[in-house]
Amino acid sequence: MNRAFNRKKDKSWMHTPDALAKHYISYNAKFLGNTEVEAPKGTEVVKDAVRKLKFQRHIKKSEGQKTPKVELQISIYGVKILEPKSKDVQHNCQLHRISFCADDKTDKRIFTFICKDSESNKHLCYVFDSEKCAEEITLTIGQAFDLAYKKFLESGGKDVETRKQIGTLQKRIQELETENAELKKQLQDLEEQLMIAHVPPAGSISLKPQSTDVFDMVPFSPVTPLVPTAASNGCPPPPPKSSPPDINKDLFGAEPFDPFTCGAADFPPDIQSKLDEMQEGFKMGLTLEGAVFSLDPLDSRC
């Protein structure tokens, strides 16, 4: 293994400072994986990690699993590991957390670096396989360290603290986005449960309440028949009983008045006595009229 933090005397940096400070350098490689190591640096430490991950990859290859391809974006802020097609960030290793970087001189395709995880604070060794660019990638990471250290000296250490705060805020944003997605899923589940609860069972009849007027009464229409509404207990009301019309009553349902058929108890005494006198006078008038009519022949003979 060859440590790449210190620039070799016979080699100069491969990229311009602006390429790493304002942008990033991209490489494609195969990702063997990462594993926890006991120390933050050391040649023997990374050798053990490479042997372990190579053995695990050999087992997965025998099972038919291919080694995943990744894209590395290297800058003075760190090394990002992305999925090549979707550009989804799988790992974001900030530069101040990387403590060791090296390429394997016995296997020129392998390069590795050790980074302290921001959540667990454990040291993880990342191992990659690049057929042609293993040494170049190692030197690019070394150049990023050199530029970041110079920038640190120029800013008096403020730049590192700012990046730490930005990293903390980015982590918090990811946590809030995850929490927001979970809350949205719970809300969607509750809405689906409410929709299922309000759906009536198959074959059931839903009674639609009739519209009422301002006096809370159902308006009458002579065209449409009255429809009985359901009672509060859910049972339909009994049909209305129809009675035959009474011929002895008038239009308003009252009995017709006949002053000659009323009994003595139907009126007060003074009114009843006057009615009796009227009836007697009416009877006498009929008698006299008959008598006069019977005397007419006698008068004609005289």
Side-chain angles (χ1 to χ4, degrees), residues 131-196:
E131 187 175 353
K132 298 179 180 180
C133 302
E135 184 179 3
E136 181 180 340
I137 294 172
T138 305
L139 291 173
T140 302
I141 296 176
Q143 184 181 359
F145 267 102
D146 186 65
L147 293 173
Y149 183 68
K150 289 180 179 179
K151 192 173 182 181
F152 170 75
L153 295 177
E154 293 174 358
S155 63
K158 295 181 180 179
D159 187 64
V160 176
E161 295 297 329
T162 302
R163 289 203 302 269
K164 287 182 180 179
Q165 294 177 2
I166 293 174
T168 303
L169 292 175
Q170 289 177 347
K171 180 182 175 182
R172 180 57 180 164
I173 290 172
Q174 292 178 354
E175 293 176 354
L176 292 175
E177 288 178 350
T178 304
E179 184 179 355
N180 188 25
E182 293 177 355
L183 291 175
K184 284 183 178 180
K185 187 177 183 302
Q186 293 178 4
L187 180 61
Q188 184 178 2
D189 294 340
L190 290 175
E191 290 178 352
E192 292 177 355
Q193 292 177 3
L194 290 174
M195 290 177 64
I196 295 174

Side-chain angles (χ1 to χ4, degrees), residues 51-205:
R51 281 195 294 266
K52 179 181 179 180
L53 291 174
K54 275 186 174 181
F55 179 74
Q56 292 179 358
R57 182 53 54 186
H58 179 72
I59 294 176
K60 292 181 179 180
K61 189 176 181 179
S62 63
E63 295 175 351
Q65 298 183 17
K66 295 181 179 181
T67 304
K69 296 180 180 180
V70 296
E71 178 183 343
L72 299 176
Q73 294 181 356
I74 304 171
S75 68
I76 63 173
Y77 302 105
V79 179
K80 288 184 179 181
I81 304 172
L82 299 85
E83 204 282 326
K85 295 182 179 180
S86 64
K87 302 298 180 181
D88 292 335
V89 179
Q90 299 178 355
H91 303 278
N92 186 9
C93 303
Q94 298 177 355
L95 203 65
H96 68 275
R97 291 184 174 273
I98 297 177
S99 56
F100 191 81
C101 180
D103 57 274
D104 192 349
K105 294 304 176 184
T106 60
D107 189 350
K108 296 185 179 296
R109 301 178 306 172
I110 301 299
F111 70 95
T112 179
F113 62 83
I114 297 175
C115 180
K116 188 177 183 180
D117 186 67
S118 59
E119 296 182 358
S120 62
N121 287 328
K122 296 180 180 179
H123 291 92
L124 302 177
C125 183
Y126 294 78
V127 180
F128 302 88
D129 183 347
S130 178
E131 187 175 353
K132 298 179 180 180
C133 302
E135 184 179 3
E136 181 180 340
I137 294 172
T138 305
L139 291 173
T140 302
I141 296 176
Q143 184 181 359
F145 267 102
D146 186 65
L147 293 173
Y149 183 68
K150 289 180 179 179
K151 192 173 182 181
F152 170 75
L153 295 177
E154 293 174 358
S155 63
K158 295 181 180 179
D159 187 64
V160 176
E161 295 297 329
T162 302
R163 289 203 302 269
K164 287 182 180 179
Q165 294 177 2
I166 293 174
T168 303
L169 292 175
Q170 289 177 347
K171 180 182 175 182
R172 180 57 180 164
I173 290 172
Q174 292 178 354
E175 293 176 354
L176 292 175
E177 288 178 350
T178 304
E179 184 179 355
N180 188 25
E182 293 177 355
L183 291 175
K184 284 183 178 180
K185 187 177 183 302
Q186 293 178 4
L187 180 61
Q188 184 178 2
D189 294 340
L190 290 175
E191 290 178 352
E192 292 177 355
Q193 292 177 3
L194 290 174
M195 290 177 64
I196 295 174
H198 283 81
V199 173
S204 62
I205 300 174

Side-chain angles (χ1 to χ4, degrees), residues 207-221 226-227 229:
L207 297 175
K208 184 178 179 181
Q210 295 182 352
S211 59
T212 57
D213 55 12
V214 293
F215 300 104
D216 200 19
M217 300 180 65
V218 179
F220 172 75
S221 175
L226 294 177
V227 179
T229 57

Side-chain angles (χ1 to χ4, degrees), residues 255-267 272 275-276 279:
E255 294 182 357
F257 174 73
D258 186 1
F260 303 106
T261 58
C262 294
D266 294 336
F267 300 96
Q272 186 65 39
L275 290 175
D276 292 341
Q279 290 179 356

